[in-house]
Amino acid sequence: MNQHTTARLLITCPDRPGIVHAVSSFLFNHGANITALDQYATAAEGGTYFMRLEFQTPHLDLSRQVLAQTFAEAVAARYEMHWQISHAADRKRVVIMVSRHDHAMLELLWRWSRQALPCDIQAVISNHADLAADVQRFGVPFHHVVVSAERRDEAEARMQEIAAGADLLILARYMQILSPAWVDLWPQKIINIHHSFLPAFVGANPYQQAYDKGVKLIGATAHYVTAELDQGPIIEQGVARVSHRDDVDSLRSLGQDLERQVLARAVRWHLEDRIIVHGHKTIVFD
Amino acid sequence: MNQHTTARLLITCPDRPGIVHAVSSFLFNHGANITALDQYATAAEGGTYFMRLEFQTPHLDLSRQVLAQTFAEAVAARYEMHWQISHAADRKRVVIMVSRHDHAMLELLWRWSRQALPCDIQAVISNHADLAADVQRFGVPFHHVVVSAERRDEAEARMQEIAAGADLLILARYMQILSPAWVDLWPQKIINIHHSFLPAFVGANPYQQAYDKGVKLIGATAHYVTAELDQGPIIEQGVARVSHRDDVDSLRSLGQDLERQVLARAVRWHLEDRIIVHGHKTIVFD
Amino acid sequence: MNQHTTARLLITCPDRPGIVHAVSSFLFNHGANITALDQYATAAEGGTYFMRLEFQTPHLDLSRQVLAQTFAEAVAARYEMHWQISHAADRKRVVIMVSRHDHAMLELLWRWSRQALPCDIQAVISNHADLAADVQRFGVPFHHVVVSAERRDEAEARMQEIAAGADLLILARYMQILSPAWVDLWPQKIINIHHSFLPAFVGANPYQQAYDKGVKLIGATAHYVTAELDQGPIIEQGVARVSHRDDVDSLRSLGQDLERQVLARAVRWHLEDRIIVHGHKTIVFD
Amino acid sequence: MNQHTTARLLITCPDRPGIVHAVSSFLFNHGANITALDQYATAAEGGTYFMRLEFQTPHLDLSRQVLAQTFAEAVAARYEMHWQISHAADRKRVVIMVSRHDHAMLELLWRWSRQALPCDIQAVISNHADLAADVQRFGVPFHHVVVSAERRDEAEARMQEIAAGADLLILARYMQILSPAWVDLWPQKIINIHHSFLPAFVGANPYQQAYDKGVKLIGATAHYVTAELDQGPIIEQGVARVSHRDDVDSLRSLGQDLERQVLARAVRWHLEDRIIVHGHKTIVFD
C-alpha cells in the first residue's frame, strides 16, 4: 500500500440503512479507491454505527480541504456523523513520558527507529534524569521535568509547553499521577500502559498485588487515560502464565515483556487510526 | 441479529475501483440493510478482491430468485465476480464421518445440540460400529460403512448415497483415506481435522512424530480436503505447550482438546459462510 | 507408570537443610523407588518448604499403615511436617454439584468416562431437575435437591448426606451460595469454576461485567472454595481473546470453552495430588 | 537466592533406585543445602534418568575441586553418571554472531545490560559492518569477519580466534551456514534462532514459505546447532496468530517479536544450566 497516498476515514453515527452506500458512492464519485473497510454496529437495529475506511487519493477530483467540506455537507450532516479524515502522509506527532523504567520507552523508540511506528517522536519527558542518554541516542530531545506535590501545576505547565502540537502522549511507565485538569487537555490522546490485567489490580504495585493474590496469569493493559485512575477505555491486553515459583521480581520481569508488546500494539493501532472510543469502551479495527 | 432474515453474500473478483459502491448501491436500492461487511484485496492494485456481506432481507423488494438473477446481471457480470448468496434460514446439511476416536465428533454433536452450530446433521458415517449409541442418543442416524482395500469403491458409493444432498462433510478423525475421485465430488465441502500443526507432521501418527522430534508445542489443523493428503487449504490452527515430560499418550490427550476446539471453530466459520478458498489458501472473515 | 503401585507423598514444613536427604533415605531404605520429585521453598532461607514425591510400592518392606506410622515418627516429627501419603489405587470419590448449565459437568463426566480423570464419581447433585437424563446416561446417580432461602439448612443437610464419604466436591457451575458452615465441613475439598479472570469480576454475571468494562480478554478461574465468595486459593486460570464485536452471548459461549478446560485441569491436578494449599495461595506441581 | 553461592549439578545416567538418596546424602553430608531439585526419567523402569540440583555452597566442607573429585568417585562412578557442576559466580562467556537483522541481537544485549542474562558477552561477530555502532554502545567489542564461499576456512579460523574461551555462541540471525567441521568444535554450545515453527519451513525464507502455505500461526524455534541444517535439538518454540491479511512483511515483523522472546528464553535457560541434551531432544528444567 502506498502510505503517501493513503487516507483514512473514521465514522460514528446512529445506525440506519444506506450508510455504506452513501459513503462509498461519495468516495467513488470523487475518484477515491477504497482499499480497506471495516464496520460495526452495536445492535441489529437502532444502535450506534462505526466505520473505518482506507482509500487512495491519487485520483481525487477535490483538494483535501474541499473533500472534507463536501463530505461534511453531502454525507455527514445527513447521517449525523462524528467523523475524521486523516492522511497517512501527515505523520502524527508523539511525546513519550517516562519515569525510570526504560523497557516500554526503549521498545517504542526502537520500533520507531526501524520505521515500525509511523509517527514523529518530538520529545521524551521524564521526571527523572536517568534515561537522558538512552533517548538522545535516538536523536530525540529529552526533557527532565521535576514534579513535586507542591508545584505540580508548574511542572504540568512546562510539560504542556513541550508537548505543544503533539497528537498523542504515551505514558510509557510514567509513575506520576497527572491532574484531571491536565488530562482533560488531551481527550483520547493519552495512552497509558498499566502493568496488570485491568480491572484487576488497579493502582500501585500491581505485581505485588498479583503475587499476594496468587494468580496463575499476569497481564498488561494499554488504555486511554481519563481523569479517573486506571479506568479509561481499554485498547489492548495481554497475559503470560506464571506459577507459585515466581516471586515479585520474576513477575515484574515477565510483565515487562508483556508491557512492551501490548503498548507497542496499542500505539500502532492509534497511529493507524484503527481505534474509535465509544463511551468508556473502544472499537479496534485491527 | 435475526438469523431468519439474514442473508450472506460472498464475492471474489478482480480488484478494481467501485466494487463497494456497486454492491452497496444495489443492496440499498432493493431494500436490503447491510449489517456486516468485510473485504480484502491481495494487493494494493491489480490483485484479487474478496468481500463478505451480511444483509437483512425483510424489506427486500425482490424475491430471493429475482434478487440473485438481478445481482448477476446488474453487478456480478460487470465485475467478473464469482459469488454466492446464502440465507441463514436455509440451514446447511452436514454429514460427519468418524472412525473410533469420539472426541471430535462428540464436541460437534454437543455444540449442535445446544444450537451453537447452525446446521442440520443428517447422518454420521463410520467405518466402525463403536460409536453408534453415542450418535443415536443425539437423534442422529448412524451408518456403519465398512471399508476394505478391495471394495473401497463400493463403500464410497454407499457413503455417497448417505451423504446425498449434504452441503458439508466433516472428517472428525475419519482414519480412512478417501479416493481422489470421491474427494472431487465434494470440492471445498469436506473439512478435515489433522492432529498436527501442518505442514509439520503430515500423514500417520503425528503425535508420535512430534514426540520423536522433541517439539515444545503441538498443534491441530482444520483444512479443506483435496486429493493430495493433508495439503488442502488451511482454515484454522491451534497449539498447546508441551515439554519433555509428555509422552505420546499425553501429547495425544492434550492434542485432542486442541482438535475439538480447532475443528469446532472451522466448522462454525464454514456454516456462517465466513470462508473463501483462493487457490490453496483461505480467506477467513471471522 | 503403573498406577496401581504408585503412591504420592505431599509435605509442607519449615525449610531447613537435609529434608531431601531425610525423605529420600527413608524411602530408599524401605524399598520405595522415587519416580517423581518436585520441591519449592518460599525463600532462600527460613521460608516454608513444599515437596511432592511419587514412588513405586511393589518392593516396600512395610505395609501401608506401618509405612505411614514409621514416616511420622522417623522423619515427619523431626522436621515438623504436615504431610499425607495417598495411593493412586485408592481412587478419590467425587461429587459434582451443578445447576442448569451443562457444559462444565459434561466435560468432567466425558473425561471421566474415558479414564482421563482418575476418580469415582459417586453422585451429581443439582438444584434443578434439567440434567437428570444427561447424568444418568453415564451411570451416575442424580440427586435433585431443591434449595430455598428459607430452607437452606435442610437442603444442605440432604446434600451432606449424599456427599458422605466423598473426597472432593466440584461446583461445576452450581449457582447457589453455600453457607459458610457447610463450606467449613469441606476444607480444601471443594473446587469451584468461576467464569472470570479473578480477582476481576467477582460475583454475579461476570460476562456482563466483562462486556460492560470492554476488556479485550476474558477468563475463567478454578479455585478452592472458602467461606468468602470467590476469594479462595486460585488453582488455575485461562483466558481467551475477545473484541468489541463480542456481545454478552458470545463472551459466554467463548467463556464456557475456557471453563471446561480450566476446571478439567484443576480437577485432574487435585486428583493426582499435585496441589498444596499454603495460606490463601496454591503450590501446583504440574 | 544468593547467586554468588549457588552451584548447579546436572546429571544424566541409567535410571535405577537410590539416585536421589545417593546425591542428596552426598550433598547433605558435605554441608551443601539443596535449594532446587528437578528430575525426569524417560520410562518408569530401565530408562534414562536426568536430574538438576541447585545447592548453596557457603557451608561446604570441601573446596570446589575436591567436591567435584569426591562426587566423581563416591557417587558418579557408581551410577555411571554424566554430570557437571557449575557455579553461578563463574559467569559464562558468550559470543553473539549476527548478520544484518538487529532485533534478536539487540534484545540480548539489552537484557544483558540490565542484568537479565547472567553472562559476560565477550564479542559480537558479524559478516557485515552495519551493526558496529549498535554493539559498541553496549561496551562490547564488534568484529567484522567477511565470509566468502572461497575463503570460508579463513573466516572460520578468524572467528574461532575471537570466540576462544567462550562457553556459548549465539546465532542471533547469523545468515551464513557454518561448516560441519566448525560446528563440531562447539558441541551443544551453539544456539540458533530459526524463524519458523520447526520442523515446518526448514531452510531459507521461512516467512515466505509460511505465506505461500497459508498457515494461520507462525512460529520461531531456538535450537542447538548440529552439522545438519535446522535439525539440532529444539530448546524452545513460540507462535503468533496470523491471518490472510498478513503479507510477508507483516509476518516477518510479527515473527521478529517471537524470535526475540524465544531466543531470550532459550539463552537464559542455557546460562542457568537448565538444559540437558539427550540424543536429538532436550530436557528443559525451567
Side-chain angles (χ1 to χ4, degrees):
Chain A
M1 210 61 69
N2 189 337
Q3 288 304 323
H4 290 288
T5 62
T6 297
R8 300 174 192 127
L9 172 56
L10 292 183
I11 294 169
T12 304
C13 66
D15 192 11
R16 56 187 222 242
I19 303 174
V20 179
H21 167 64
V23 175
S24 63
S25 298
F26 173 85
L27 291 175
F28 180 70
N29 292 332
H30 290 291
N33 186 22
I34 297 171
T35 45
L37 192 164
D38 279 289
Q39 65 161 35
Y40 168 68
T42 54
E45 272 184 70
T48 304
Y49 177 88
F50 306 88
M51 190 180 211
R52 179 184 185 272
L53 287 125
E54 282 194 10
F55 57 94
Q56 302 304 314
T57 57
H59 307 296
L60 269 187
D61 62 2
L62 303 173
S63 70
R64 284 189 185 188
Q65 285 69 18
V66 179
L67 180 81
Q69 206 176 322
T70 314
F71 181 76
E73 289 164 15
V75 181
R78 183 151 45 103
Y79 288 92
E80 303 167 73
M81 292 175 173
H82 291 268
W83 62 281
Q84 67 169 77
I85 295 178
S86 58
H87 296 266
D90 299 347
R91 293 157 67 85
K92 289 189 172 56
R93 282 157 302 176
V94 168
V95 171
I96 299 175
M97 296 170 68
V98 67
S99 292
R100 279 188 156 129
H101 287 297
D102 67 354
H103 58 281
M105 179 198 74
L106 283 180
E107 183 75 24
L108 295 175
L109 289 173
W110 174 72
R111 289 179 186 255
W112 169 75
S113 72
R114 63 204 318 259
Q115 283 79 52
L117 288 182
C119 63
D120 294 326
I121 298 188
Q122 72 181 47
V124 170
I125 298 172
S126 179
N127 56 328
H128 294 281
D130 313 35
L131 302 178
D134 282 319
V135 170
Q136 286 153 358
R137 188 173 56 76
F138 286 93
V140 171
F142 177 88
H143 300 273
H144 179 198
V145 180
V146 177
V147 182
S148 63
E150 317 81 65
R151 306 179 69 174
R152 189 166 70 169
D153 284 4
E154 201 174 300
E156 291 190 343
R158 176 73 186 116
M159 297 194 295
Q160 189 64 14
E161 223 172 83
I162 298 165
D167 299 294
L168 176 66
L169 308 189
I170 303 171
L171 309 188
R173 299 298 304 277
Y174 182 72
M175 310 304 277
Q176 291 289 325
I177 294 184
L178 298 162
S179 72
W182 203 82
V183 166
D184 282 347
L185 299 173
W186 298 92
Q188 298 166 18
K189 291 187 169 178
I190 312 178
I191 294 180
N192 181 48
I193 181 70
H194 184 73
H195 38 315
S196 85
F197 183 85
L198 289 174
F201 310 134
V202 164
N205 291 326
Y207 294 124
Q208 182 70 50
Q209 292 184 56
Y211 176 80
D212 292 342
K213 180 65 188 172
V215 290
K216 300 301 185 183
L217 295 164
I218 57 164
T221 303
H223 64 94
Y224 287 113
V225 174
T226 58
E228 200 179 348
L229 182 67
D230 298 336
Q231 298 297 321
I234 292 172
I235 301 169
E236 173 63 335
Q237 303 189 287
V239 293
R241 179 164 275 275
V242 298
S243 81
H244 61 270
R245 294 190 191 278
D246 288 293
D247 57 18
V248 176
D249 279 346
S250 71
L251 294 184
R252 180 175 295 116
S253 173
L254 286 163
Q256 290 180 347
D257 290 349
L258 282 179
E259 294 168 39
R260 294 198 283 157
Q261 299 160 35
V262 166
L263 179 60
R265 280 201 295 274
V267 167
R268 184 169 56 76
W269 291 339
H270 181 96
L271 295 175
E272 296 174 354
D273 302 299
R274 296 184 177 279
I275 312 174
I276 301 178
V277 174
H278 177 53
H280 55 285
K281 297 164 70 169
T282 61
I283 314 299
V284 179
F285 291 122
D286 65 328
Chain B
M1 209 63 68
N2 188 339
Q3 289 303 325
H4 290 287
T5 62
T6 297
R8 299 173 193 129
L9 171 56
L10 291 183
I11 293 169
T12 304
C13 66
D15 193 9
R16 58 188 221 244
I19 303 174
V20 179
H21 167 64
V23 174
S24 63
S25 298
F26 174 85
L27 290 175
F28 180 70
N29 291 333
H30 290 291
N33 187 23
I34 297 172
T35 45
L37 191 163
D38 278 288
Q39 65 162 35
Y40 168 68
T42 56
E45 272 184 69
T48 304
Y49 177 88
F50 305 89
M51 190 181 210
R52 178 184 187 272
L53 287 125
E54 281 194 12
F55 57 93
Q56 302 304 313
T57 57
H59 306 297
L60 272 185
D61 61 2
L62 302 173
S63 70
R64 283 188 186 189
Q65 284 69 17
V66 179
L67 179 81
Q69 207 176 320
T70 313
F71 180 76
E73 290 165 15
V75 181
R78 182 149 47 102
Y79 288 92
E80 303 168 72
M81 291 174 173
H82 290 269
W83 62 280
Q84 66 168 78
I85 294 177
S86 58
H87 295 267
D90 300 345
R91 293 157 68 86
K92 290 190 171 55
R93 283 157 303 176
V94 169
V95 171
I96 299 175
M97 297 171 66
V98 69
S99 293
R100 278 189 156 129
H101 287 296
D102 67 354
H103 58 280
M105 179 197 76
L106 283 180
E107 184 74 24
L108 296 175
L109 289 173
W110 174 71
R111 287 180 188 255
W112 169 75
S113 73
R114 64 205 315 259
Q115 283 80 52
L117 288 180
C119 63
D120 293 327
I121 298 188
Q122 72 182 46
V124 170
I125 297 173
S126 179
N127 57 328
H128 293 282
D130 312 36
L131 303 178
D134 281 319
V135 171
Q136 286 153 356
R137 188 172 55 75
F138 285 93
V140 171
F142 178 88
H143 300 272
H144 180 197
V145 180
V146 176
V147 182
S148 63
E150 318 83 64
R151 306 179 70 172
R152 190 168 69 169
D153 284 4
E154 199 173 300
E156 290 190 342
R158 176 74 185 112
M159 296 194 296
Q160 190 63 14
E161 222 172 85
I162 297 165
D167 299 295
L168 176 67
L169 308 189
I170 303 170
L171 308 188
R173 298 299 303 278
Y174 182 71
M175 310 303 276
Q176 291 289 324
I177 294 184
L178 297 162
S179 72
W182 203 82
V183 166
D184 282 347
L185 299 173
W186 299 91
Q188 300 165 15
K189 291 188 169 176
I190 313 180
I191 294 178
N192 182 47
I193 181 71
H194 184 74
H195 38 314
S196 85
F197 183 84
L198 290 174
F201 311 134
V202 164
N205 290 328
Y207 292 125
Q208 182 70 49
Q209 292 184 56
Y211 176 79
D212 292 343
K213 180 65 188 172
V215 290
K216 301 300 184 185
L217 294 165
I218 56 164
T221 304
H223 64 94
Y224 286 112
V225 175
T226 57
E228 200 179 348
L229 183 67
D230 298 336
Q231 297 298 321
I234 293 172
I235 301 169
E236 172 64 335
Q237 303 190 286
V239 293
R241 179 163 275 274
V242 298
S243 82
H244 61 271
R245 295 190 191 278
D246 288 293
D247 57 19
V248 177
D249 279 345
S250 71
L251 294 184
R252 180 175 295 116
S253 172
L254 284 164
Q256 290 180 347
D257 290 349
L258 282 179
E259 295 168 37
R260 294 197 283 157
Q261 299 160 34
V262 167
L263 179 60
R265 281 201 294 273
V267 167
R268 183 168 57 77
W269 290 339
H270 181 96
L271 296 175
E272 296 175 353
D273 301 299
R274 296 184 177 279
I275 312 173
I276 301 178
V277 174
H278 178 233
H280 56 284
K281 297 165 69 169
T282 61
I283 315 298
V284 179
F285 291 123
D286 64 329
Chain C
M1 209 61 71
N2 189 336
Q3 289 304 323
H4 290 289
T5 62
T6 297
R8 301 173 192 127
L9 170 57
L10 292 183
I11 294 169
T12 304
C13 65
D15 193 11
R16 57 187 223 244
I19 303 174
V20 180
H21 166 64
V23 174
S24 63
S25 298
F26 174 85
L27 290 175
F28 180 70
N29 291 332
H30 290 290
N33 186 22
I34 297 172
T35 46
L37 190 164
D38 279 289
Q39 65 161 36
Y40 168 68
T42 55
E45 272 184 69
T48 303
Y49 178 88
F50 306 89
M51 190 182 212
R52 178 185 185 271
L53 287 125
E54 282 194 11
F55 56 94
Q56 303 303 314
T57 56
H59 306 297
L60 270 187
D61 61 2
L62 303 173
S63 70
R64 285 189 185 188
Q65 285 69 17
V66 179
L67 180 81
Q69 205 175 324
T70 314
F71 181 77
E73 289 165 14
V75 181
R78 183 150 46 101
Y79 288 93
E80 302 167 74
M81 294 175 171
H82 291 267
W83 62 281
Q84 67 169 78
I85 295 177
S86 57
H87 295 266
D90 300 345
R91 294 158 67 86
K92 291 190 171 56
R93 283 156 301 175
V94 168
V95 170
I96 299 176
M97 297 170 68
V98 68
S99 292
R100 278 188 157 130
H101 287 297
D102 67 353
H103 57 282
M105 179 198 75
L106 283 179
E107 184 75 23
L108 295 175
L109 288 173
W110 174 72
R111 288 180 187 256
W112 169 75
S113 72
R114 62 203 319 260
Q115 281 80 51
L117 288 182
C119 62
D120 293 326
I121 298 189
Q122 72 181 47
V124 170
I125 298 172
S126 180
N127 56 327
H128 293 282
D130 312 37
L131 302 178
D134 282 319
V135 171
Q136 285 154 358
R137 187 171 56 75
F138 286 93
V140 171
F142 177 88
H143 300 272
H144 180 197
V145 180
V146 177
V147 181
S148 64
E150 318 81 63
R151 305 177 71 173
R152 189 167 70 169
D153 284 4
E154 200 174 301
E156 291 190 342
R158 175 74 187 114
M159 297 194 294
Q160 189 64 13
E161 221 172 84
I162 298 165
D167 299 295
L168 177 67
L169 308 189
I170 304 172
L171 308 188
R173 298 298 303 278
Y174 182 72
M175 310 303 277
Q176 292 288 326
I177 294 184
L178 298 161
S179 70
W182 203 82
V183 166
D184 282 347
L185 299 173
W186 298 91
Q188 298 166 18
K189 291 189 169 175
I190 311 179
I191 294 179
N192 181 48
I193 181 71
H194 184 73
H195 37 315
S196 85
F197 183 85
L198 290 175
F201 310 135
V202 163
N205 291 326
Y207 293 125
Q208 182 69 50
Q209 293 184 57
Y211 176 79
D212 292 342
K213 179 67 188 172
V215 290
K216 301 300 184 183
L217 294 165
I218 56 164
T221 304
H223 64 94
Y224 287 112
V225 175
T226 57
E228 201 180 346
L229 183 66
D230 297 336
Q231 298 296 320
I234 293 172
I235 302 168
E236 173 63 336
Q237 302 189 287
V239 293
R241 179 165 276 274
V242 299
S243 81
H244 61 270
R245 295 190 192 279
D246 289 292
D247 57 18
V248 176
D249 279 346
S250 70
L251 294 184
R252 182 175 295 117
S253 172
L254 285 165
Q256 290 180 346
D257 289 350
L258 282 180
E259 295 168 37
R260 294 197 284 157
Q261 298 160 36
V262 167
L263 179 59
R265 280 202 294 276
V267 167
R268 184 168 56 76
W269 291 339
H270 181 96
L271 296 175
E272 295 174 353
D273 301 299
R274 295 183 177 281
I275 313 173
I276 301 178
V277 174
H278 179 231
H280 55 284
K281 298 165 69 169
T282 62
I283 314 299
V284 179
F285 291 121
D286 66 327
Chain D
M1 210 63 69
N2 189 338
Q3 289 302 324
H4 290 287
T5 62
T6 298
R8 300 173 193 129
L9 172 55
L10 292 183
I11 294 169
T12 303
C13 66
D15 193 10
R16 57 188 222 245
I19 303 174
V20 179
H21 167 63
V23 174
S24 62
S25 298
F26 173 85
L27 291 174
F28 180 70
N29 291 332
H30 289 291
N33 186 23
I34 297 172
T35 45
L37 191 163
D38 279 289
Q39 66 162 35
Y40 168 68
T42 55
E45 271 183 70
T48 303
Y49 177 88
F50 306 89
M51 190 181 211
R52 178 184 186 271
L53 288 125
E54 281 194 12
F55 57 93
Q56 302 304 314
T57 57
H59 306 297
L60 270 186
D61 61 2
L62 303 173
S63 70
R64 284 189 186 189
Q65 284 69 18
V66 180
L67 180 79
Q69 206 175 322
T70 313
F71 181 76
E73 289 165 14
V75 181
R78 182 149 47 102
Y79 288 92
E80 303 167 74
M81 291 174 173
H82 291 268
W83 62 280
Q84 66 168 79
I85 294 177
S86 58
H87 296 266
D90 299 347
R91 292 157 67 87
K92 290 189 171 55
R93 283 156 303 176
V94 168
V95 171
I96 299 175
M97 297 171 67
V98 69
S99 292
R100 278 188 156 130
H101 288 296
D102 68 352
H103 57 281
M105 179 198 75
L106 283 180
E107 183 75 23
L108 295 176
L109 288 173
W110 175 72
R111 287 180 188 254
W112 169 74
S113 72
R114 64 205 315 261
Q115 283 79 52
L117 288 181
C119 63
D120 293 327
I121 298 189
Q122 72 181 46
V124 170
I125 298 172
S126 180
N127 56 328
H128 295 281
D130 312 37
L131 303 179
D134 282 320
V135 170
Q136 286 154 357
R137 187 172 55 75
F138 285 94
V140 171
F142 177 88
H143 301 272
H144 179 198
V145 179
V146 177
V147 182
S148 64
E150 318 81 65
R151 305 178 71 172
R152 190 168 68 168
D153 284 5
E154 201 174 298
E156 290 190 342
R158 175 74 185 114
M159 296 195 295
Q160 190 64 13
E161 223 172 84
I162 297 164
D167 298 295
L168 176 67
L169 308 188
I170 303 171
L171 309 187
R173 298 299 302 277
Y174 182 71
M175 310 304 277
Q176 292 289 324
I177 294 184
L178 298 162
S179 72
W182 203 83
V183 166
D184 282 348
L185 298 174
W186 298 92
Q188 299 167 17
K189 290 188 170 176
I190 311 179
I191 294 178
N192 182 48
I193 181 71
H194 184 73
H195 37 315
S196 85
F197 183 85
L198 290 174
F201 310 135
V202 164
N205 290 327
Y207 293 125
Q208 183 69 50
Q209 293 184 56
Y211 176 79
D212 293 342
K213 179 65 189 172
V215 290
K216 301 300 185 185
L217 295 165
I218 56 164
T221 304
H223 64 93
Y224 286 111
V225 174
T226 57
E228 201 179 346
L229 183 67
D230 297 336
Q231 298 297 321
I234 293 172
I235 302 169
E236 172 63 336
Q237 304 189 286
V239 293
R241 177 163 277 273
V242 299
S243 81
H244 61 271
R245 296 190 190 277
D246 289 291
D247 57 18
V248 176
D249 279 346
S250 71
L251 294 184
R252 180 175 295 116
S253 172
L254 285 164
Q256 290 179 347
D257 289 349
L258 282 179
E259 294 168 38
R260 296 197 282 158
Q261 298 160 35
V262 167
L263 180 59
R265 279 202 294 275
V267 167
R268 184 168 56 77
W269 291 339
H270 181 96
L271 296 175
E272 295 175 353
D273 301 300
R274 296 184 176 281
I275 312 174
I276 301 177
V277 174
H278 179 233
H280 56 284
K281 298 165 69 169
T282 61
I283 314 299
V284 180
F285 291 122
D286 66 328

